[in-house]
Amino acid sequence: MAKPAPKLSPDDIQRVIATAFEDAPPYTKVLLMHGIGHGELVALLKRELTPAAYKLWSARGRASKGPTKKATWPHGR
């Protein structure tokens, strides 16, 4: 059974949004600092941000993937 989302004050919401925008992979630090998981964070940001700001945030999250490992012979070129 999933735990309920924490009740956040307007100040807490602002801190969560600031943390999400400053963190390179935006979910890990928010989870550690505020106890909000991936789905809860996405729902919160969709509700609180303008559509343009949400698109900017989600694009940053997709672009911040870790470096890929180069394939080496004999398993690839």
Side-chain angles (χ1 to χ4, degrees), residues 29-48:
K29 192 171 181 181
V30 172
L31 179 62
L32 291 174
M33 291 181 68
H34 304 286
I36 297 175
H38 173 81
E40 296 166 330
L41 178 63
V42 169
L44 174 79
L45 293 178
K46 279 185 177 180
R47 184 180 71 231
E48 296 294 326

mmCIF file with all atom_site columns, all heavy atoms in Angstrom, residues 29-48:
data_model
loop_
_atom_site.group_PDB
_atom_site.id
_atom_site.type_symbol
_atom_site.label_atom_id
_atom_site.label_alt_id
_atom_site.label_comp_id
_atom_site.label_asym_id
_atom_site.label_entity_id
_atom_site.label_seq_id
_atom_site.pdbx_PDB_ins_code
_atom_site.Cartn_x
_atom_site.Cartn_y
_atom_site.Cartn_z
_atom_site.occupancy
_atom_site.B_iso_or_equiv
_atom_site.pdbx_formal_charge
_atom_site.auth_seq_id
_atom_site.auth_comp_id
_atom_site.auth_asym_id
_atom_site.auth_atom_id
_atom_site.pdbx_PDB_model_num
ATOM 1   N N   . LYS A 1 29 ? 17.290 13.999 -5.246  1.00 0.00 ? 29 LYS A N   1
ATOM 2   C CA  . LYS A 1 29 ? 17.459 14.956 -4.159  1.00 0.00 ? 29 LYS A CA  1
ATOM 3   C C   . LYS A 1 29 ? 16.114 15.348 -3.552  1.00 0.00 ? 29 LYS A C   1
ATOM 4   O O   . LYS A 1 29 ? 16.003 15.504 -2.343  1.00 0.00 ? 29 LYS A O   1
ATOM 5   C CB  . LYS A 1 29 ? 18.195 16.194 -4.670  1.00 0.00 ? 29 LYS A CB  1
ATOM 6   C CG  . LYS A 1 29 ? 18.681 17.107 -3.586  1.00 0.00 ? 29 LYS A CG  1
ATOM 7   C CD  . LYS A 1 29 ? 19.579 18.174 -4.191  1.00 0.00 ? 29 LYS A CD  1
ATOM 8   C CE  . LYS A 1 29 ? 20.119 19.100 -3.136  1.00 0.00 ? 29 LYS A CE  1
ATOM 9   N NZ  . LYS A 1 29 ? 20.969 20.137 -3.739  1.00 0.00 ? 29 LYS A NZ  1
ATOM 10  N N   . VAL A 1 30 ? 15.084 15.478 -4.375  1.00 0.00 ? 30 VAL A N   1
ATOM 11  C CA  . VAL A 1 30 ? 13.749 15.817 -3.866  1.00 0.00 ? 30 VAL A CA  1
ATOM 12  C C   . VAL A 1 30 ? 13.243 14.693 -2.967  1.00 0.00 ? 30 VAL A C   1
ATOM 13  O O   . VAL A 1 30 ? 12.670 14.951 -1.905  1.00 0.00 ? 30 VAL A O   1
ATOM 14  C CB  . VAL A 1 30 ? 12.770 16.080 -5.034  1.00 0.00 ? 30 VAL A CB  1
ATOM 15  C CG1 . VAL A 1 30 ? 11.353 16.236 -4.533  1.00 0.00 ? 30 VAL A CG1 1
ATOM 16  C CG2 . VAL A 1 30 ? 13.194 17.318 -5.798  1.00 0.00 ? 30 VAL A CG2 1
ATOM 17  N N   . LEU A 1 31 ? 13.465 13.451 -3.367  1.00 0.00 ? 31 LEU A N   1
ATOM 18  C CA  . LEU A 1 31 ? 13.035 12.323 -2.554  1.00 0.00 ? 31 LEU A CA  1
ATOM 19  C C   . LEU A 1 31 ? 13.758 12.317 -1.212  1.00 0.00 ? 31 LEU A C   1
ATOM 20  O O   . LEU A 1 31 ? 13.139 12.144 -0.160  1.00 0.00 ? 31 LEU A O   1
ATOM 21  C CB  . LEU A 1 31 ? 13.273 11.003 -3.286  1.00 0.00 ? 31 LEU A CB  1
ATOM 22  C CG  . LEU A 1 31 ? 12.899 9.737  -2.531  1.00 0.00 ? 31 LEU A CG  1
ATOM 23  C CD1 . LEU A 1 31 ? 11.405 9.724  -2.224  1.00 0.00 ? 31 LEU A CD1 1
ATOM 24  C CD2 . LEU A 1 31 ? 13.279 8.513  -3.325  1.00 0.00 ? 31 LEU A CD2 1
ATOM 25  N N   . LEU A 1 32 ? 15.067 12.541 -1.236  1.00 0.00 ? 32 LEU A N   1
ATOM 26  C CA  . LEU A 1 32 ? 15.834 12.532 0.000   1.00 0.00 ? 32 LEU A CA  1
ATOM 27  C C   . LEU A 1 32 ? 15.473 13.695 0.922   1.00 0.00 ? 32 LEU A C   1
ATOM 28  O O   . LEU A 1 32 ? 15.356 13.516 2.131   1.00 0.00 ? 32 LEU A O   1
ATOM 29  C CB  . LEU A 1 32 ? 17.340 12.570 -0.308  1.00 0.00 ? 32 LEU A CB  1
ATOM 30  C CG  . LEU A 1 32 ? 17.911 11.318 -0.943  1.00 0.00 ? 32 LEU A CG  1
ATOM 31  C CD1 . LEU A 1 32 ? 19.369 11.537 -1.327  1.00 0.00 ? 32 LEU A CD1 1
ATOM 32  C CD2 . LEU A 1 32 ? 17.791 10.136 -0.005  1.00 0.00 ? 32 LEU A CD2 1
ATOM 33  N N   . MET A 1 33 ? 15.305 14.887 0.361   1.00 0.00 ? 33 MET A N   1
ATOM 34  C CA  . MET A 1 33 ? 15.083 16.069 1.195   1.00 0.00 ? 33 MET A CA  1
ATOM 35  C C   . MET A 1 33 ? 13.627 16.234 1.636   1.00 0.00 ? 33 MET A C   1
ATOM 36  O O   . MET A 1 33 ? 13.363 16.695 2.736   1.00 0.00 ? 33 MET A O   1
ATOM 37  C CB  . MET A 1 33 ? 15.531 17.325 0.450   1.00 0.00 ? 33 MET A CB  1
ATOM 38  C CG  . MET A 1 33 ? 17.026 17.423 0.263   1.00 0.00 ? 33 MET A CG  1
ATOM 39  S SD  . MET A 1 33 ? 17.516 18.910 -0.597  1.00 0.00 ? 33 MET A SD  1
ATOM 40  C CE  . MET A 1 33 ? 17.109 20.160 0.613   1.00 0.00 ? 33 MET A CE  1
ATOM 41  N N   . HIS A 1 34 ? 12.686 15.865 0.768   1.00 0.00 ? 34 HIS A N   1
ATOM 42  C CA  . HIS A 1 34 ? 11.291 16.185 1.041   1.00 0.00 ? 34 HIS A CA  1
ATOM 43  C C   . HIS A 1 34 ? 10.386 14.957 1.133   1.00 0.00 ? 34 HIS A C   1
ATOM 44  O O   . HIS A 1 34 ? 9.210  15.090 1.450   1.00 0.00 ? 34 HIS A O   1
ATOM 45  C CB  . HIS A 1 34 ? 10.751 17.123 -0.047  1.00 0.00 ? 34 HIS A CB  1
ATOM 46  C CG  . HIS A 1 34 ? 11.551 18.377 -0.189  1.00 0.00 ? 34 HIS A CG  1
ATOM 47  N ND1 . HIS A 1 34 ? 11.498 19.409 0.714   1.00 0.00 ? 34 HIS A ND1 1
ATOM 48  C CD2 . HIS A 1 34 ? 12.455 18.760 -1.130  1.00 0.00 ? 34 HIS A CD2 1
ATOM 49  C CE1 . HIS A 1 34 ? 12.317 20.383 0.336   1.00 0.00 ? 34 HIS A CE1 1
ATOM 50  N NE2 . HIS A 1 34 ? 12.914 20.003 -0.781  1.00 0.00 ? 34 HIS A NE2 1
ATOM 51  N N   . GLY A 1 35 ? 10.906 13.779 0.818   1.00 0.00 ? 35 GLY A N   1
ATOM 52  C CA  . GLY A 1 35 ? 10.100 12.564 0.897   1.00 0.00 ? 35 GLY A CA  1
ATOM 53  C C   . GLY A 1 35 ? 9.035  12.463 -0.184  1.00 0.00 ? 35 GLY A C   1
ATOM 54  O O   . GLY A 1 35 ? 8.006  11.835 0.015   1.00 0.00 ? 35 GLY A O   1
ATOM 55  N N   . ILE A 1 36 ? 9.277  13.078 -1.333  1.00 0.00 ? 36 ILE A N   1
ATOM 56  C CA  . ILE A 1 36 ? 8.316  13.063 -2.434  1.00 0.00 ? 36 ILE A CA  1
ATOM 57  C C   . ILE A 1 36 ? 8.891  12.227 -3.564  1.00 0.00 ? 36 ILE A C   1
ATOM 58  O O   . ILE A 1 36 ? 9.988  12.492 -4.045  1.00 0.00 ? 36 ILE A O   1
ATOM 59  C CB  . ILE A 1 36 ? 8.023  14.501 -2.916  1.00 0.00 ? 36 ILE A CB  1
ATOM 60  C CG1 . ILE A 1 36 ? 7.386  15.295 -1.785  1.00 0.00 ? 36 ILE A CG1 1
ATOM 61  C CG2 . ILE A 1 36 ? 7.136  14.496 -4.144  1.00 0.00 ? 36 ILE A CG2 1
ATOM 62  C CD1 . ILE A 1 36 ? 7.169  16.741 -2.106  1.00 0.00 ? 36 ILE A CD1 1
ATOM 63  N N   . GLY A 1 37 ? 8.156  11.219 -3.985  1.00 0.00 ? 37 GLY A N   1
ATOM 64  C CA  . GLY A 1 37 ? 8.603  10.336 -5.053  1.00 0.00 ? 37 GLY A CA  1
ATOM 65  C C   . GLY A 1 37 ? 8.394  10.935 -6.431  1.00 0.00 ? 37 GLY A C   1
ATOM 66  O O   . GLY A 1 37 ? 7.880  12.043 -6.590  1.00 0.00 ? 37 GLY A O   1
ATOM 67  N N   . HIS A 1 38 ? 8.774  10.147 -7.441  1.00 0.00 ? 38 HIS A N   1
ATOM 68  C CA  . HIS A 1 38 ? 8.728  10.599 -8.835  1.00 0.00 ? 38 HIS A CA  1
ATOM 69  C C   . HIS A 1 38 ? 7.326  11.031 -9.258  1.00 0.00 ? 38 HIS A C   1
ATOM 70  O O   . HIS A 1 38 ? 7.126  12.133 -9.758  1.00 0.00 ? 38 HIS A O   1
ATOM 71  C CB  . HIS A 1 38 ? 9.240  9.475  -9.742  1.00 0.00 ? 38 HIS A CB  1
ATOM 72  C CG  . HIS A 1 38 ? 9.086  9.750  -11.201 1.00 0.00 ? 38 HIS A CG  1
ATOM 73  N ND1 . HIS A 1 38 ? 9.971  10.528 -11.891 1.00 0.00 ? 38 HIS A ND1 1
ATOM 74  C CD2 . HIS A 1 38 ? 8.139  9.357  -12.081 1.00 0.00 ? 38 HIS A CD2 1
ATOM 75  C CE1 . HIS A 1 38 ? 9.571  10.607 -13.155 1.00 0.00 ? 38 HIS A CE1 1
ATOM 76  N NE2 . HIS A 1 38 ? 8.469  9.897  -13.284 1.00 0.00 ? 38 HIS A NE2 1
ATOM 77  N N   . GLY A 1 39 ? 6.339  10.168 -9.078  1.00 0.00 ? 39 GLY A N   1
ATOM 78  C CA  . GLY A 1 39 ? 4.980  10.482 -9.509  1.00 0.00 ? 39 GLY A CA  1
ATOM 79  C C   . GLY A 1 39 ? 4.385  11.666 -8.767  1.00 0.00 ? 39 GLY A C   1
ATOM 80  O O   . GLY A 1 39 ? 3.692  12.505 -9.352  1.00 0.00 ? 39 GLY A O   1
ATOM 81  N N   . GLU A 1 40 ? 4.649  11.729 -7.465  1.00 0.00 ? 40 GLU A N   1
ATOM 82  C CA  . GLU A 1 40 ? 4.146  12.848 -6.663  1.00 0.00 ? 40 GLU A CA  1
ATOM 83  C C   . GLU A 1 40 ? 4.773  14.161 -7.106  1.00 0.00 ? 40 GLU A C   1
ATOM 84  O O   . GLU A 1 40 ? 4.100  15.194 -7.171  1.00 0.00 ? 40 GLU A O   1
ATOM 85  C CB  . GLU A 1 40 ? 4.431  12.618 -5.183  1.00 0.00 ? 40 GLU A CB  1
ATOM 86  C CG  . GLU A 1 40 ? 3.717  11.414 -4.603  1.00 0.00 ? 40 GLU A CG  1
ATOM 87  C CD  . GLU A 1 40 ? 4.275  11.015 -3.254  1.00 0.00 ? 40 GLU A CD  1
ATOM 88  O OE1 . GLU A 1 40 ? 5.479  11.235 -3.004  1.00 0.00 ? 40 GLU A OE1 1
ATOM 89  O OE2 . GLU A 1 40 ? 3.512  10.470 -2.452  1.00 0.00 ? 40 GLU A OE2 1
ATOM 90  N N   . LEU A 1 41 ? 6.072  14.117 -7.415  1.00 0.00 ? 41 LEU A N   1
ATOM 91  C CA  . LEU A 1 41 ? 6.774  15.329 -7.858  1.00 0.00 ? 41 LEU A CA  1
ATOM 92  C C   . LEU A 1 41 ? 6.226  15.814 -9.194  1.00 0.00 ? 41 LEU A C   1
ATOM 93  O O   . LEU A 1 41 ? 5.969  17.005 -9.375  1.00 0.00 ? 41 LEU A O   1
ATOM 94  C CB  . LEU A 1 41 ? 8.279  15.075 -7.962  1.00 0.00 ? 41 LEU A CB  1
ATOM 95  C CG  . LEU A 1 41 ? 9.112  16.248 -8.452  1.00 0.00 ? 41 LEU A CG  1
ATOM 96  C CD1 . LEU A 1 41 ? 9.023  17.426 -7.486  1.00 0.00 ? 41 LEU A CD1 1
ATOM 97  C CD2 . LEU A 1 41 ? 10.557 15.835 -8.643  1.00 0.00 ? 41 LEU A CD2 1
ATOM 98  N N   . VAL A 1 42 ? 6.020  14.894 -10.127 1.00 0.00 ? 42 VAL A N   1
ATOM 99  C CA  . VAL A 1 42 ? 5.493  15.272 -11.435 1.00 0.00 ? 42 VAL A CA  1
ATOM 100 C C   . VAL A 1 42 ? 4.100  15.890 -11.275 1.00 0.00 ? 42 VAL A C   1
ATOM 101 O O   . VAL A 1 42 ? 3.805  16.930 -11.870 1.00 0.00 ? 42 VAL A O   1
ATOM 102 C CB  . VAL A 1 42 ? 5.467  14.046 -12.380 1.00 0.00 ? 42 VAL A CB  1
ATOM 103 C CG1 . VAL A 1 42 ? 4.677  14.336 -13.637 1.00 0.00 ? 42 VAL A CG1 1
ATOM 104 C CG2 . VAL A 1 42 ? 6.891  13.640 -12.738 1.00 0.00 ? 42 VAL A CG2 1
ATOM 105 N N   . ALA A 1 43 ? 3.250  15.269 -10.468 1.00 0.00 ? 43 ALA A N   1
ATOM 106 C CA  . ALA A 1 43 ? 1.899  15.804 -10.262 1.00 0.00 ? 43 ALA A CA  1
ATOM 107 C C   . ALA A 1 43 ? 1.949  17.188 -9.615  1.00 0.00 ? 43 ALA A C   1
ATOM 108 O O   . ALA A 1 43 ? 1.211  18.098 -10.012 1.00 0.00 ? 43 ALA A O   1
ATOM 109 C CB  . ALA A 1 43 ? 1.087  14.845 -9.394  1.00 0.00 ? 43 ALA A CB  1
ATOM 110 N N   . LEU A 1 44 ? 2.831  17.366 -8.638  1.00 0.00 ? 44 LEU A N   1
ATOM 111 C CA  . LEU A 1 44 ? 2.971  18.658 -7.962  1.00 0.00 ? 44 LEU A CA  1
ATOM 112 C C   . LEU A 1 44 ? 3.432  19.733 -8.935  1.00 0.00 ? 44 LEU A C   1
ATOM 113 O O   . LEU A 1 44 ? 2.859  20.823 -8.980  1.00 0.00 ? 44 LEU A O   1
ATOM 114 C CB  . LEU A 1 44 ? 3.965  18.554 -6.806  1.00 0.00 ? 44 LEU A CB  1
ATOM 115 C CG  . LEU A 1 44 ? 4.299  19.853 -6.104  1.00 0.00 ? 44 LEU A CG  1
ATOM 116 C CD1 . LEU A 1 44 ? 3.185  20.234 -5.144  1.00 0.00 ? 44 LEU A CD1 1
ATOM 117 C CD2 . LEU A 1 44 ? 5.607  19.758 -5.374  1.00 0.00 ? 44 LEU A CD2 1
ATOM 118 N N   . LEU A 1 45 ? 4.432  19.420 -9.744  1.00 0.00 ? 45 LEU A N   1
ATOM 119 C CA  . LEU A 1 45 ? 4.951  20.411 -10.674 1.00 0.00 ? 45 LEU A CA  1
ATOM 120 C C   . LEU A 1 45 ? 3.944  20.727 -11.786 1.00 0.00 ? 45 LEU A C   1
ATOM 121 O O   . LEU A 1 45 ? 3.827  21.879 -12.193 1.00 0.00 ? 45 LEU A O   1
ATOM 122 C CB  . LEU A 1 45 ? 6.283  19.952 -11.265 1.00 0.00 ? 45 LEU A CB  1
ATOM 123 C CG  . LEU A 1 45 ? 7.437  19.870 -10.263 1.00 0.00 ? 45 LEU A CG  1
ATOM 124 C CD1 . LEU A 1 45 ? 8.688  19.354 -10.939 1.00 0.00 ? 45 LEU A CD1 1
ATOM 125 C CD2 . LEU A 1 45 ? 7.697  21.203 -9.608  1.00 0.00 ? 45 LEU A CD2 1
ATOM 126 N N   . LYS A 1 46 ? 3.209  19.732 -12.252 1.00 0.00 ? 46 LYS A N   1
ATOM 127 C CA  . LYS A 1 46 ? 2.177  20.002 -13.259 1.00 0.00 ? 46 LYS A CA  1
ATOM 128 C C   . LYS A 1 46 ? 1.106  20.928 -12.700 1.00 0.00 ? 46 LYS A C   1
ATOM 129 O O   . LYS A 1 46 ? 0.573  21.775 -13.407 1.00 0.00 ? 46 LYS A O   1
ATOM 130 C CB  . LYS A 1 46 ? 1.528  18.701 -13.725 1.00 0.00 ? 46 LYS A CB  1
ATOM 131 C CG  . LYS A 1 46 ? 2.323  17.971 -14.764 1.00 0.00 ? 46 LYS A CG  1
ATOM 132 C CD  . LYS A 1 46 ? 1.555  16.759 -15.262 1.00 0.00 ? 46 LYS A CD  1
ATOM 133 C CE  . LYS A 1 46 ? 2.317  16.064 -16.357 1.00 0.00 ? 46 LYS A CE  1
ATOM 134 N NZ  . LYS A 1 46 ? 1.604  14.887 -16.868 1.00 0.00 ? 46 LYS A NZ  1
ATOM 135 N N   . ARG A 1 47 ? 0.803  20.755 -11.407 1.00 0.00 ? 47 ARG A N   1
ATOM 136 C CA  . ARG A 1 47 ? -0.232 21.569 -10.778 1.00 0.00 ? 47 ARG A CA  1
ATOM 137 C C   . ARG A 1 47 ? 0.253  22.984 -10.473 1.00 0.00 ? 47 ARG A C   1
ATOM 138 O O   . ARG A 1 47 ? -0.481 23.953 -10.638 1.00 0.00 ? 47 ARG A O   1
ATOM 139 C CB  . ARG A 1 47 ? -0.690 20.884 -9.480  1.00 0.00 ? 47 ARG A CB  1
ATOM 140 C CG  . ARG A 1 47 ? -1.835 21.572 -8.779  1.00 0.00 ? 47 ARG A CG  1
ATOM 141 C CD  . ARG A 1 47 ? -2.244 20.849 -7.516  1.00 0.00 ? 47 ARG A CD  1
ATOM 142 N NE  . ARG A 1 47 ? -1.232 21.014 -6.494  1.00 0.00 ? 47 ARG A NE  1
ATOM 143 C CZ  . ARG A 1 47 ? -0.674 20.038 -5.801  1.00 0.00 ? 47 ARG A CZ  1
ATOM 144 N NH1 . ARG A 1 47 ? -1.031 18.794 -6.012  1.00 0.00 ? 47 ARG A NH1 1
ATOM 145 N NH2 . ARG A 1 47 ? 0.231  20.274 -4.882  1.00 0.00 ? 47 ARG A NH2 1
ATOM 146 N N   . GLU A 1 48 ? 1.515  23.125 -10.064 1.00 0.00 ? 48 GLU A N   1
ATOM 147 C CA  . GLU A 1 48 ? 2.013  24.406 -9.562  1.00 0.00 ? 48 GLU A CA  1
ATOM 148 C C   . GLU A 1 48 ? 2.699  25.277 -10.621 1.00 0.00 ? 48 GLU A C   1
ATOM 149 O O   . GLU A 1 48 ? 2.721  26.481 -10.483 1.00 0.00 ? 48 GLU A O   1
ATOM 150 C CB  . GLU A 1 48 ? 2.997  24.179 -8.402  1.00 0.00 ? 48 GLU A CB  1
ATOM 151 C CG  . GLU A 1 48 ? 2.379  23.539 -7.192  1.00 0.00 ? 48 GLU A CG  1
ATOM 152 C CD  . GLU A 1 48 ? 1.350  24.421 -6.506  1.00 0.00 ? 48 GLU A CD  1
ATOM 153 O OE1 . GLU A 1 48 ? 1.512  25.657 -6.500  1.00 0.00 ? 48 GLU A OE1 1
ATOM 154 O OE2 . GLU A 1 48 ? 0.374  23.872 -5.969  1.00 0.00 ? 48 GLU A OE2 1
#
